[in-house]
Structures are given as structure tokens and as C-alpha cells.
Amino acid sequence: MDPTRPLDALQVMRDKRVIVELKSGRQFDGVLKAFDIHINTVLFDARELGVEGASHERLFLRGDSILLVTPKQ
Amino acid sequence: MDPTRPLDALQVMRDKRVIVELKSGRQFDGVLKAFDIHINTVLFDARELGVEGASHERLFLRGDSILLVTPKQ
Amino acid sequence: MDPTRPLDALQVMRDKRVIVELKSGRQFDGVLKAFDIHINTVLFDARELGVEGASHERLFLRGDSILLVTPKQ
Amino acid sequence: MDPTRPLDALQVMRDKRVIVELKSGRQFDGVLKAFDIHINTVLFDARELGVEGASHERLFLRGDSILLVTPKQ
Amino acid sequence: MDPTRPLDALQVMRDKRVIVELKSGRQFDGVLKAFDIHINTVLFDARELGVEGASHERLFLRGDSILLVTPKQ
Amino acid sequence: MDPTRPLDALQVMRDKRVIVELKSGRQFDGVLKAFDIHINTVLFDARELGVEGASHERLFLRGDSILLVTPKQ
Amino acid sequence: MDPTRPLDALQVMRDKRVIVELKSGRQFDGVLKAFDIHINTVLFDARELGVEGASHERLFLRGDSILLVTPKQ
């Protein structure tokens, strides 16, 4: 599917594992469960890359901190 | 419940204990009582992680300072 | 009263003494007299914590500088 | 008069001498002549505190630079 | 004329020589020809203070960079 | 085609290889697949310039981090 | 033509060579082809001042990075 709008591309990633990179450079790996027009984003089973510790069952990220979202490879 | 919108995921956390992390890196632990579309957030029985002192019975956080919200584990 | 919206929690604090903390870390102690959806806030009998000098009879704070509001304990 | 909305508190200060403090810490002393919902503000006979030189007959300040407004004591 | 709204004060300065100071501290001296609610501003015959070189016949300044506007004295 | 609106210029670049430069100076090279009025942008087959590693099959960039978009030469 | 609104002044510069200065201080020299109310701007035959290399046939600049636009002299 070719997206015609950017949020279509996020829709294609829904329920798949993605990398979310913040403007600060921090990166989260999780399953993309929800997003909205502000790019507020919910990841399930999320983990911050390079950080030890348990994963987050649910993680709400405020959209204005997000730089990019891409499928995990 | 699978959220379809990010605020649904916050709704699931209502009345539960969450961690709110600010863009500055400060973290608060409290019971999520209220939030709105700006992610203005109210915690009850809230405490800043790593800071000595009494808990806040009620704590209003302006949404634009918030980076993430996740259930306390 | 359990707030369902964040501004309900501010409403509960009206006419009571609160601590307003700015994003810069500065803190003001005063009686919460007014606020709006932008979190523009008016304190009466307000004093900046850690700063010598007379109190402000009235103090208008622009909302976008505010980080948190909590009842004074 | 007790303000119920923050701009009511500014209205009470109209035509009186106020201190406007910017987010940068700069402070202006002048007579509050006009303001709007963005907190764009006009001072008459205004002077920057700590700065030598003539006063400004009229001074327009863009609201998003403003931190606080308080009556001059 | 006493302004009741901040943009009235700018209207009074139209076609007169003003100083526009940016948030960065840079200052421009020019004839105020146009402005809008975002404080986007057009100066004619404008010159940056403290900078050598020809004047700008027309200079468009995006409003969100502007801190203050005041008549040149 | 001469654009009359800036987004017309992006439309001309659709399905072509572009350079997207972020405000931070980071640059991405990819095929422009989608954009919206916030300049939220989707690139296919995208690669960050100066960074080793696999390309991103799909890359969603939040618009407020973007500085410029130009066709790859 | 005297502009009454700031975007009228940009309209006068359309199809002429301008200097666009960013908030970061970077400057671009190009032919102004398009702009909108956010000051999103398209330049043709654009070149960054002080930077070696080919010109950009088309260059889309997101408006919130722009400080000023002035005719090239």
C-alpha cells in the first residue's frame, strides 16, 4: 500500500514492532498500538534501547517529543 | 482492551499507579486521576522519584512538560 | 471530590494556598485565585520561594511557563 | 475585586504601574495600557530595570516572551 | 490615543520609525509598514543596529522571533 | 510547473528522491511518499546521510523537526 | 505598493531574488516562488550563503525556521 497521507504510513505499522526515536535521541522499541494526529503514540511491550530493565507493558508517548517512527527490521 | 486512540490507553491507567516522566527527565509516581487532550495530568498521592520529602496529595502537571506515562510495575 | 478533568483539580485548590513550580525550577507560594485553560494563573499574597522581599499582592503568571501546581502542605 | 479569570486580574492593573518580567529574566516597569488573550502587552512610560537610558513612551511586548505581571509596589 | 488592544498601539506606530528587538537581542531600526496578529512585521528602510552595510528597502520579519516594538526616539 | 503554494512544490517532489534536512542538521535521503500540512513526511527507502546501516523501508518524520526538503541531485 | 499586511510584502517579492535568513543564522539566496501563512517558503535556484556546492533547483523551507525575508540587493 502506498500512503497518500503520512498517518496512513503509521496505520500500516499498527500492531507491528516499530522503533520510535525521540527528539532527544532516545529510542523505544515496541508494538505500535495507537496514535493520533498529534502523533501521541502508544506502544505495547516497549523497551528503551540501551537501557537495562523490564519492558513497559503499555507506554504512552506525548507526540511533540517524537522525531520519527519506522518499522523494526 | 486494545486502545485505538492514545487517550484510551491513558483511560485504562486511570485510578492506577503510574510513572509520569517529564521532558526534563524528572519522574513522578502517583495515582492517575485525570487527564485531558493536552495531556494535562492530575496525580494523587504523588512523589518525585529520587527526591526526599512528603508526597503530594494532589499534583497538577501541565501537559506540555510530559514525555511519557506508563503503569508502575 | 475526584476530578475527572485536570482543571477540576485546580478548581478544588481555588482560594487555597498552593505551590506553583515553573519549568525553570522557580517556585511561588500563594493563594490560587484564578486560572484558565492555558493555565494562566493568578496568585494573591504570593512569594517566590528562596527569594527575599515583599510578597506580591497579585501575581499573574503566563500559563506556558508553569510546570506544576500542588496544594501547600 | 476577586478575579475569576486570569485576565480579570490584568484588567484590575490597567492604567496602573506594573512590573512585567520576561522569561529571560529581564524586567520592565511601566503603566499597563493594553493586553490581549495572548498576553501581548503595551506599557506606557516604560523602563527596563537595571538598564540606563530614556524611558519608552510606548512599548509593545509580544506575549509569548512574558513570564509574569504584577503591580509595582 | 490610548490603545485598548495591543495591536492598536502598533497601529499608532505605522509609517513611523520604530525599533524592533528580537528575542535573540538583535535590533532593527525601520519604518513600520505592516503587521498582523502573529506580529509578522514589515519594515521599510531597515537597518540592523550595530551591523555595517546597506539598509534593507523592505524587510519581512516572522512574528515569533519578535520580542518588542517601540517608537524610535 | 510553478508552485503557487509551498505544498505544491512538495507535490512535485512526490515519488522522487529527496533530501530532508532536520533542524538538528541530520539529513535523510529517501523517496518522498506522503506529507501533510504539518509537513509530517513519509520517506521510502530512506537512509540517514553519514550513518552506516540498512535503509529504512518506511520512515515517518514528524513535521516540526523538519527544516527543508529539496530534490536529490 | 505599500503593503497593509505583511504577506503583501512577500507577494511583492514573488519571482524576485531574495535572502531568507533562518533563526539559526543560516542564509539562503534564491528566487521566491511560493509562501503561505505559516511562511513555509519555496525558493528556486537557491544557494546557501557561505556554503560551497551546487544550487538547489527547488528548496522547500518550513516556515517556523525562518527569521526574515528581504529582497536581494
Side-chain angles (χ1 to χ4, degrees), chain B residues 14-15 22 26 28 33-36 38-42 44 48 54-62 64-65, chain C residues 1-7 9-10 12-13 21-23 37-39 63-71 73:
Chain B
R14 197 191 288 265
D15 292 318
L22 305 185
R26 294 168 65 180
F28 291 88
K33 292 306 286 187
F35 58 87
D36 62 20
H38 307 292
I39 321 301
N40 292 322
T41 295
V42 175
F44 275 22
E48 185 173 351
S55 65
H56 301 279
E57 192 187 345
R58 294 162 186 270
L59 181 67
F60 172 92
L61 291 164
R62 196 173 191 270
D64 66 329
S65 288
Chain C
M1 192 195 95
D2 260 25
T4 56
R5 295 167 302 178
L7 270 57
L10 291 182
V12 168
M13 301 184 210
E21 182 170 332
L22 305 185
K23 290 172 180 165
I37 56 167
H38 307 292
I39 322 301
D64 66 329
S65 288
I66 291 178
L67 169 63
L68 65 83
V69 184
T70 190
Q73 291 169 320

Side-chain angles (χ1 to χ4, degrees), chain E:
Chain E
M1 193 195 93
D2 261 25
T4 55
R5 294 167 302 179
L7 270 57
D8 293 342
L10 290 182
Q11 182 58 36
V12 168
M13 300 184 210
R14 196 191 288 266
D15 290 320
K16 299 196 175 65
R17 195 157 278 276
V18 297
I19 301 292
V20 175
E21 182 171 333
L22 306 185
K23 290 171 180 163
S24 65
R26 293 168 67 180
Q27 292 180 318
F28 291 88
D29 167 342
V31 177
L32 181 64
K33 292 306 287 186
F35 58 87
D36 62 21
I37 56 166
H38 307 292
I39 322 302
N40 293 321
T41 296
V42 174
L43 300 179
F44 276 22
D45 188 24
R47 198 179 290 269
E48 185 174 351
L49 300 188
V51 174
E52 295 291 319
S55 65
H56 301 279
E57 191 187 349
R58 296 163 185 269
L59 180 67
F60 172 91
L61 291 164
R62 198 172 191 270
D64 67 329
S65 288
I66 291 178
L67 170 62
L68 64 83
V69 184
T70 191
K72 188 172 184 196
Q73 292 169 320

Side-chain angles (χ1 to χ4, degrees), chain D:
Chain D
M1 192 196 94
D2 261 25
T4 56
R5 294 167 302 179
L7 271 57
D8 293 341
L10 291 181
Q11 182 58 36
V12 168
M13 300 184 211
R14 197 192 287 265
D15 291 319
K16 299 196 175 64
R17 195 157 277 276
V18 297
I19 302 292
V20 175
E21 182 170 333
L22 305 185
K23 290 172 180 164
S24 65
R26 294 169 66 179
Q27 291 180 318
F28 292 87
D29 166 343
V31 177
L32 181 64
K33 293 305 287 186
F35 57 87
D36 62 20
I37 56 167
H38 307 293
I39 322 302
N40 292 321
T41 295
V42 174
L43 301 179
F44 275 21
D45 187 25
R47 199 179 289 270
E48 185 173 351
L49 300 188
V51 174
E52 295 292 318
S55 65
H56 301 279
E57 192 187 347
R58 295 163 186 270
L59 181 67
F60 172 92
L61 290 165
R62 196 173 191 271
D64 66 329
S65 288
I66 291 178
L67 170 63
L68 64 84
V69 184
T70 190
K72 187 172 185 197
Q73 291 168 320

